[in-house]
Tab-separated table of all heavy atoms in Angstrom:
chain	number	residue	atom	x	y	z
U	544	THR	N	98.293	85.230	104.910
U	544	THR	CA	99.602	85.669	105.336
U	544	THR	C	100.450	86.163	104.233
U	544	THR	O	100.666	85.525	103.236
U	544	THR	CB	100.352	84.616	106.122
U	544	THR	OG1	99.652	84.286	107.327
U	544	THR	CG2	101.778	85.064	106.482
U	545	ALA	N	100.919	87.464	104.298
U	545	ALA	CA	101.660	88.111	103.195
U	545	ALA	C	102.074	89.427	103.606
U	545	ALA	O	101.646	89.981	104.594
U	545	ALA	CB	100.758	88.154	101.954
U	546	VAL	N	102.920	90.046	102.769
U	546	VAL	CA	103.150	91.443	102.907
U	546	VAL	C	102.157	92.146	101.939
U	546	VAL	O	102.046	91.769	100.775
U	546	VAL	CB	104.588	91.868	102.466
U	546	VAL	CG1	104.840	93.410	102.523
U	546	VAL	CG2	105.602	91.231	103.385
U	547	TYR	N	101.458	93.140	102.513
U	547	TYR	CA	100.396	93.838	101.778
U	547	TYR	C	100.932	95.248	101.296
U	547	TYR	O	101.511	95.964	102.126
U	547	TYR	CB	99.148	94.003	102.647
U	547	TYR	CG	98.356	92.693	102.677
U	547	TYR	CD1	98.868	91.627	103.474
U	547	TYR	CD2	97.154	92.558	102.044
U	547	TYR	CE1	98.152	90.478	103.540
U	547	TYR	CE2	96.433	91.377	102.117
U	547	TYR	CZ	96.977	90.361	102.890
U	547	TYR	OH	96.322	89.134	102.969
U	548	TYR	N	100.762	95.459	99.994
U	548	TYR	CA	101.284	96.750	99.402
U	548	TYR	C	100.140	97.563	98.819
U	548	TYR	O	99.209	97.125	98.239
U	548	TYR	CB	102.202	96.379	98.311
U	548	TYR	CG	103.492	95.584	98.649
U	548	TYR	CD1	103.486	94.269	98.596
U	548	TYR	CD2	104.654	96.349	99.025
U	548	TYR	CE1	104.639	93.545	98.973
U	548	TYR	CE2	105.761	95.558	99.344
U	548	TYR	CZ	105.764	94.209	99.352
U	548	TYR	OH	106.884	93.522	99.664
U	549	CYS	N	100.290	98.834	98.942
U	549	CYS	CA	99.446	99.833	98.341
U	549	CYS	C	100.016	100.352	97.041
U	549	CYS	O	101.297	100.448	96.962
U	549	CYS	CB	99.258	100.970	99.323
U	549	CYS	SG	98.181	102.311	98.843
U	550	LYS	N	99.208	100.555	96.007
U	550	LYS	CA	99.794	100.988	94.732
U	550	LYS	C	98.839	102.104	94.104
U	550	LYS	O	97.643	101.948	94.275
U	550	LYS	CB	99.812	99.827	93.716
U	550	LYS	CG	100.491	100.169	92.410
U	550	LYS	CD	100.318	99.114	91.404
U	550	LYS	CE	99.108	99.314	90.568
U	550	LYS	NZ	98.997	98.411	89.386
U	551	VAL	N	99.437	103.078	93.511
U	551	VAL	CA	98.727	104.013	92.669
U	551	VAL	C	99.259	103.971	91.257
U	551	VAL	O	100.523	103.863	91.040
U	551	VAL	CB	98.768	105.460	93.229
U	551	VAL	CG1	100.168	105.971	93.336
U	551	VAL	CG2	97.920	106.377	92.435
U	552	ALA	N	98.348	103.907	90.357
U	552	ALA	CA	98.734	103.850	88.902
U	552	ALA	C	98.487	105.258	88.338
U	552	ALA	O	97.354	105.697	88.264
U	552	ALA	CB	97.878	102.845	88.187
U	553	THR	N	99.579	105.915	87.938
U	553	THR	CA	99.476	107.193	87.208
U	553	THR	C	99.741	106.983	85.770
U	553	THR	O	100.235	105.918	85.369
U	553	THR	CB	100.466	108.187	87.842
U	553	THR	OG1	101.768	107.858	87.337
U	553	THR	CG2	100.507	108.158	89.343
U	554	PRO	N	99.534	108.041	84.925
U	554	PRO	CA	99.754	107.787	83.496
U	554	PRO	C	101.303	107.584	83.198
U	554	PRO	O	101.613	107.059	82.097
U	554	PRO	CB	99.278	109.203	82.899
U	554	PRO	CG	98.274	109.683	83.930
U	554	PRO	CD	98.797	109.280	85.202
U	555	PHE	N	102.129	107.976	84.123
U	555	PHE	CA	103.576	107.862	83.867
U	555	PHE	C	104.179	106.610	84.441
U	555	PHE	O	105.025	105.975	83.824
U	555	PHE	CB	104.308	109.081	84.448
U	555	PHE	CG	103.670	110.364	83.964
U	555	PHE	CD1	102.887	111.125	84.840
U	555	PHE	CD2	103.879	110.826	82.671
U	555	PHE	CE1	102.296	112.321	84.396
U	555	PHE	CE2	103.289	111.991	82.182
U	555	PHE	CZ	102.502	112.685	83.002
U	556	MET	N	103.707	106.171	85.598
U	556	MET	CA	104.238	105.015	86.207
U	556	MET	C	103.454	104.600	87.432
U	556	MET	O	102.600	105.387	87.869
U	556	MET	CB	105.741	105.204	86.717
U	556	MET	CG	105.931	106.310	87.751
U	556	MET	SD	107.655	106.521	88.171
U	556	MET	CE	107.914	105.011	89.148
U	557	ASP	N	103.699	103.407	87.892
U	557	ASP	CA	103.066	102.958	89.118
U	557	ASP	C	103.930	103.257	90.360
U	557	ASP	O	105.166	103.111	90.172
U	557	ASP	CB	102.849	101.443	89.109
U	557	ASP	CG	101.864	101.027	88.025
U	557	ASP	OD1	101.063	101.909	87.541
U	557	ASP	OD2	101.827	99.818	87.630
U	558	TYR	N	103.311	103.587	91.460
U	558	TYR	CA	104.092	103.852	92.663
U	558	TYR	C	103.560	102.893	93.744
U	558	TYR	O	102.364	102.612	93.806
U	558	TYR	CB	103.858	105.278	93.216
U	558	TYR	CG	104.434	106.377	92.278
U	558	TYR	CD1	103.615	106.864	91.197
U	558	TYR	CD2	105.725	106.777	92.486
U	558	TYR	CE1	104.218	107.927	90.404
U	558	TYR	CE2	106.274	107.854	91.627
U	558	TYR	CZ	105.530	108.269	90.675
U	558	TYR	OH	106.034	109.293	89.788
U	559	TRP	N	104.526	102.361	94.479
U	559	TRP	CA	104.221	101.401	95.532
U	559	TRP	C	104.700	101.867	96.871
U	559	TRP	O	105.708	102.529	96.958
U	559	TRP	CB	104.972	100.057	95.189
U	559	TRP	CG	104.555	99.415	93.951
U	559	TRP	CD1	105.018	99.650	92.697
U	559	TRP	CD2	103.683	98.353	93.815
U	559	TRP	NE1	104.444	98.778	91.757
U	559	TRP	CE2	103.593	97.998	92.438
U	559	TRP	CE3	102.870	97.636	94.702
U	559	TRP	CZ2	102.744	96.961	92.011
U	559	TRP	CZ3	102.019	96.605	94.265
U	559	TRP	CH2	102.046	96.275	92.876
U	560	GLY	N	103.951	101.457	97.881
U	560	GLY	CA	104.485	101.627	99.299
U	560	GLY	C	105.415	100.576	99.612
U	560	GLY	O	105.712	99.603	98.821
U	561	LYS	N	105.969	100.618	100.816
U	561	LYS	CA	106.954	99.597	101.213
U	561	LYS	C	106.341	98.340	101.858
U	561	LYS	O	107.064	97.422	102.027
U	561	LYS	CB	107.900	100.235	102.276
U	561	LYS	CG	108.803	101.319	101.699
U	561	LYS	CD	109.713	101.901	102.721
U	561	LYS	CE	110.616	102.969	102.056
U	561	LYS	NZ	111.601	103.529	103.033
U	562	GLY	N	105.048	98.453	102.120
U	562	GLY	CA	104.364	97.220	102.592
U	562	GLY	C	104.151	97.102	104.071
U	562	GLY	O	104.920	97.712	104.848
U	563	THR	N	103.157	96.294	104.424
U	563	THR	CA	103.004	95.990	105.849
U	563	THR	C	102.667	94.523	106.000
U	563	THR	O	101.943	93.888	105.201
U	563	THR	CB	101.776	96.820	106.390
U	563	THR	OG1	101.679	96.690	107.874
U	563	THR	CG2	100.457	96.548	105.802
U	564	LEU	N	103.300	93.831	106.965
U	564	LEU	CA	103.266	92.402	107.054
U	564	LEU	C	101.983	91.966	107.852
U	564	LEU	O	101.706	92.508	108.987
U	564	LEU	CB	104.391	91.855	107.714
U	564	LEU	CG	104.463	90.338	108.074
U	564	LEU	CD1	104.476	89.530	106.785
U	564	LEU	CD2	105.676	90.052	108.897
U	565	VAL	N	101.225	91.063	107.209
U	565	VAL	CA	100.088	90.487	107.950
U	565	VAL	C	100.403	89.001	108.095
U	565	VAL	O	100.698	88.224	107.178
U	565	VAL	CB	98.786	90.652	107.149
U	565	VAL	CG1	97.654	89.785	107.677
U	565	VAL	CG2	98.420	92.148	106.998
U	566	THR	N	100.301	88.484	109.348
U	566	THR	CA	100.536	87.169	109.673
U	566	THR	C	99.311	86.551	110.298
U	566	THR	O	98.866	87.122	111.384
U	566	THR	CB	101.777	86.957	110.615
U	566	THR	OG1	102.927	87.590	109.984
U	566	THR	CG2	102.021	85.491	110.874
U	567	VAL	N	98.741	85.526	109.723
U	567	VAL	CA	97.545	84.928	110.321
U	567	VAL	C	97.978	83.533	110.866
U	567	VAL	O	98.289	82.535	110.059
U	567	VAL	CB	96.470	84.734	109.265
U	567	VAL	CG1	95.156	84.142	109.915
U	567	VAL	CG2	96.202	86.085	108.610
U	568	SER	N	98.013	83.367	112.126
U	568	SER	CA	98.536	82.104	112.803
U	568	SER	C	97.949	82.011	114.183
U	568	SER	O	97.710	83.026	114.827
U	568	SER	CB	100.011	82.158	112.794
U	568	SER	OG	100.519	80.996	113.465
């Protein structure tokens, strides 16, 4: 259970998405 984020690493900086929540219960 967590917020899952996507990331791309470019030579200049890292970019992140806003995330999607996964709940296991």
Side-chain angles (χ1 to χ4, degrees):
T544 295
V546 178
Y547 284 71
Y548 298 91
C549 179
K550 187 191 90 170
V551 61
T553 76
F555 307 104
M556 62 180 287
D557 295 342
Y558 293 89
W559 295 86
K561 293 183 178 180
T563 185
L564 176 63
V565 172
T566 304
V567 184
S568 175

